[in-house]
Amino acid sequence: DADVTQTPRNRITKTGKRIMLECSQTKGHDRMYWYRQDPGLGLQLIYYSFDVKDINKGEISDGYSVSRQAQAKFSLSLESAIPNQTALYFCATSDSREPTDTQYFGPGTRLTVL
Amino acid sequence: GENVEQHPSTLSVQEGDSAVIKCTYSDSASNYFPWYKQELGKRPQLIIDIRSNVGEKKDQRIAVTLNKTAKHFSLHITETQPEDSAVYFCAAGGNNRLAFGKGNQVVVIP
C-alpha cells in the first residue's frame, strides 16, 4: 500500500549503534503500529499508538522506543542495537472510524545488526 | 492476552486442488479475524476478513469460516493457482489491536 511508507528500506549497522526507523502515512489514520517479523515467528507487536498523545507497549518492547511526532509519523528507535534485533520491521496503520479493525502495512525495513 | 495458533506450518497442494488453513484463538472477546497474504519480500496484504457476528464469508476463490464456540477459524482456497503460493497469516483481536499467528507457507505445485 503506497500510502504507508517506511525509511530506510534496508539498513546494516553495528552492535551498539543507535538506529531510527521511520514510518509515514497519508491515509489519515489515527492508529499506528510497529511489528517485528522473524522467520517462523510471525508478526510480533513492538509498540502501538492510538493517537499522538497515546503510546503503548506491545509484546516485545524491550530494547526499543518510539515517538509519534504527528498523526502521520511514527518512528521506532533502537538505542543500542544488538545482533538479535536483526529482523524485518513493519509499520502498520488503522482507522478507529472504520467498522473493521483492518491494519495496512508499509513495505518493511530490513535491519541487519552485525 | 490473545494467543493465535496456525496449523499446518507448511502446506503443499497440487494446482487446482483446495487448500485449508486453520487457526485457533484463545480470547473469547476477540471479534475480528483477518487473513493476510505475504509474498516473498513483500508486505502482508489483507485478503479476507470476518467479524464475530458472521459465520462465513466468501470472495471468489477464497472463503473464511468462523466457529466461535470452538474458537477457531479457517481459510479456504479453491482451485489453487501458482500465484497462491505465499505465506498466509491469520490474526484475531478487536479494538484495533491484533495478535498474529506464526504463518503458513502454502506451496502450489504446478
Side-chain angles (χ1 to χ4, degrees), chain A residues 1 31 33 37 102-103, chain B residues 32 36 38 43 96-97:
Chain A
D1 192 319
R31 300 183 170 188
Y33 311 80
Q37 184 176 36
T102 304
Q103 293 187 17
Chain B
Y32 177 61
Y36 285 82
Q38 186 179 29
R43 74 189 78 192
N96 286 123
R97 183 169 171 180

Side-chain angles (χ1 to χ4, degrees), chain B residues 4 22 34 37 40 42 45 62 65 72-73 77 82-84 89 94 104-105 107:
Chain B
V4 178
K22 181 178 174 179
K37 176 182 180 182
L40 190 62
K42 298 192 176 180
Q45 294 207 302
I62 61 173
T65 58
H72 68 71
F73 56 111
I77 307 173
E83 55 264 36
D84 294 328
F89 292 97
N104 293 94
Q105 175 76 57
V107 178

Side-chain angles (χ1 to χ4, degrees), chain A residues 46-66:
Chain A
I46 306 172
Y47 271 95
Y48 61 104
S49 169
F50 281 1
D51 65 42
V52 175
K53 298 179 182 178
D54 177 77
I55 301 289
N56 304 280
K57 292 183 177 181
E59 355 168 15
I60 56 163
S61 60
D62 287 349
Y64 301 95
S65 63
V66 291

Side-chain angles (χ1 to χ4, degrees), chain A residues 51-98:
Chain A
D51 65 42
V52 175
K53 298 179 182 178
D54 177 77
I55 301 289
N56 304 280
K57 292 183 177 181
E59 355 168 15
I60 56 163
S61 60
D62 287 349
Y64 301 95
S65 63
V66 291
S67 173
R68 185 85 183 264
Q69 302 95 321
Q71 187 184 42
K73 296 184 183 296
F74 192 36
S75 300
L76 176 71
S77 293
L78 289 68
E79 296 302 324
S80 179
I82 56 178
N84 75 1
Q85 291 177 313
T86 293
L88 186 56
Y89 291 85
F90 285 103
C91 172
T93 73
S94 69
D95 190 341
S96 62
R97 298 164 298 179
E98 285 187 1

Side-chain angles (χ1 to χ4, degrees), chain A residues 1-21:
Chain A
D1 192 319
D3 296 338
V4 184
T5 57
Q6 292 182 234
T7 56
R9 295 293 313 280
N10 289 281
R11 182 73 185 267
I12 300 173
T13 191
K14 295 182 179 179
T15 298
K17 294 290 188 182
R18 183 177 187 274
I19 297 297
M20 179 180 286
L21 310 183

